[in-house]
Amino acid sequence: MGQENKTQTWVSEFILLGLSSDLETQVFLFVLVLTMYLVTLVGNVLILLLIRLDNRLHNPMYFFLSLLSFVDLCYTNSIAPQMLGHLLSAQRSIPFYSCVLQLYTSLAMGGSEFFLLGAMAYDRYVAVCHPLHYMVIMHGGLCLGLAAGCLVAGFTNSLMETIITFRLPLCHNVINHFACETLAVLRLACGDIFFNKVMVAISGFLVIMLPCSLVLFSYGRIVTAILQIRSAQGRSKAFGTCASHLTVVCMCFGATIFTYLGPRSAASVEVEKIVALFYAVVAPMLNPLIYSLRNKEVVSALRKVLEKFRDEE
């Protein structure tokens, strides 16, 4: 026990192995990640500005979309800047408390996003199945309550998981990952991590499977309602209001379920890094693109803003 405590005290910083040790690969990854990071920043900030400036987008659907963009910005900013710096540096260290903060922030934002996608699925259910009462049901108080609940649930789960992860005695400080991530940090532990594995499984069920169940329930009701619409045009319009959200749901839930609830194998560590890269950089970049390109109201709002700027010039 004394040795474990000594080892735990000794860890003042962690060394991140990153995605690759090959220089050419690192340069390629730097350009790729930087491009995606910039697109993420521009896309999500643009979504936030459009929703803020256009009164037509002041409704529950776009309130949740703006919160999703904010969460994506926080999530990618907790990982991408450091990853970019490490790709061009031989020194890939991160202080202990910065690692703790990074793990806490990424888990909080990721968990909040899953609960938020569940809330957005409920919003789409009300819009399709109860269109005449949509604004009455999805009133401001309910929307704020759902948003607060999503954030509280995400941050509470993150706090619990971060505490039980870093309470473990650590054998060494080399993390085989590009960021401080739960499963990667657990591999450094000297002692028994059975309790941590159980808690990760419980956390995965609560944060991933519960919102996923709400999504499946909501879309089950939505599909039933759409099939009862007689006209093909009406069915297409109803499905069009859900297509963007459903695409994002499949992308985000699929990647995370594969990482945390999938079978373990010898290649799991490398696969985890690839999936984590997708979720940390690619998904936040694609979310605003999916919602804007498939959404006529967002495209119309963008055109309106651009025309306003042209007129001012």
Side-chain angles (χ1 to χ4, degrees):
M1 180 64 71
Q3 180 63 34
E4 289 181 353
N5 289 336
K6 182 179 178 181
T7 302
Q8 190 177 24
T9 304
W10 171 77
V11 176
S12 60
E13 67 176 13
F14 294 98
I15 306 299
L16 299 171
L17 295 184
L19 293 167
S20 174
S21 58
D22 180 71
L23 181 59
E24 291 184 0
T25 303
Q26 287 179 233
V27 173
F28 169 75
L29 287 173
F30 175 82
V31 174
L32 181 63
V33 173
L34 178 61
T35 301
M36 292 189 293
Y37 177 56
L38 293 176
V39 173
T40 299
L41 293 180
V42 173
N44 284 287
V45 170
L46 186 59
I47 289 288
L48 289 171
L49 288 175
L50 288 177
I51 293 174
R52 178 69 179 85
L53 295 174
D54 197 314
N55 292 330
R56 294 173 299 175
L57 304 183
H58 292 178
N59 61 52
M61 174 182 174
Y62 294 105
F63 167 74
F64 289 117
L65 177 56
S66 64
L67 187 56
L68 179 67
S69 291
F70 175 76
V71 167
D72 279 341
L73 282 172
C74 293
Y75 187 94
T76 196
N77 277 313
S78 71
I79 295 177
Q82 173 205 273
M83 180 167 53
L84 289 168
H86 285 180
L87 284 171
L88 294 183
S89 173
Q91 184 67 21
R92 301 177 181 177
S93 62
I94 178 173
F96 178 85
Y97 289 107
S98 295
C99 184
V100 174
L101 180 60
Q102 183 181 71
L103 178 64
Y104 174 71
T105 303
S106 60
L107 284 175
M109 293 299 107
S112 298
E113 179 159 339
F114 288 126
F115 286 112
L116 183 59
L117 289 173
M120 293 174 75
Y122 175 73
D123 170 75
R124 292 299 83 206
Y125 155 72
V126 175
V128 174
C129 299
H130 305 283
L132 298 179
H133 302 93
Y134 176 65
M135 294 306 298
V136 175
I137 297 174
M138 298 301 297
H139 56 84
L142 178 61
C143 291
L144 289 174
L146 287 173
C150 292
L151 294 175
V152 169
F155 277 83
T156 301
N157 172 77
S158 176
L159 180 62
M160 178 273 297
E161 195 165 330
T162 302
I163 290 174
I164 66 171
T165 297
F166 285 100
R167 62 178 285 274
L168 293 168
L170 305 177
C171 291
H172 58 90
N173 68 333
V174 180
I175 300 177
N176 187 9
H177 210 282
F178 59 82
C180 292
E181 190 264 354
T182 304
L183 298 179
V185 175
L186 288 180
R187 296 190 185 98
L188 308 182
C190 298
D192 184 12
I193 60 172
F194 175 77
F195 174 74
N196 292 77
K197 288 183 176 179
V198 171
M199 294 306 295
V200 168
I202 294 174
S203 173
F205 175 79
L206 294 175
V207 175
I208 301 173
M209 300 311 296
L210 285 184
C212 187
S213 299
L214 178 58
V215 170
L216 292 175
F217 170 79
S218 297
Y219 276 100
R221 299 295 297 271
I222 288 171
V223 169
T224 301
I226 290 177
L227 292 178
Q228 293 176 353
I229 299 176
R230 295 182 179 181
S231 68
Q233 184 179 1
R235 290 194 296 269
S236 177
K237 183 179 179 180
F239 180 75
T241 64
C242 306
S244 298
H245 176 257
L246 189 58
T247 302
V248 172
V249 163
C250 293
M251 180 176 63
C252 293
F253 278 94
T256 307
I257 289 174
F258 179 83
T259 304
Y260 289 94
L261 304 181
R264 303 287 97 190
S265 68
S268 290
V269 175
E270 298 305 316
V271 172
E272 282 172 16
K273 288 196 282 188
I274 294 173
V275 175
L277 178 66
F278 169 83
Y279 194 72
V281 182
V282 180
M285 176 192 69
L286 292 179
N287 285 353
L289 294 177
I290 292 171
Y291 276 106
S292 60
L293 294 177
R294 297 183 62 92
N295 193 304
K296 294 180 180 179
E297 291 179 323
V298 174
V299 173
S300 176
L302 178 58
R303 287 175 178 169
K304 181 179 177 182
V305 171
L306 293 176
E307 289 174 359
K308 184 176 179 181
F309 279 122
R310 287 198 197 109
D311 294 340
E312 290 178 356
E313 293 177 357

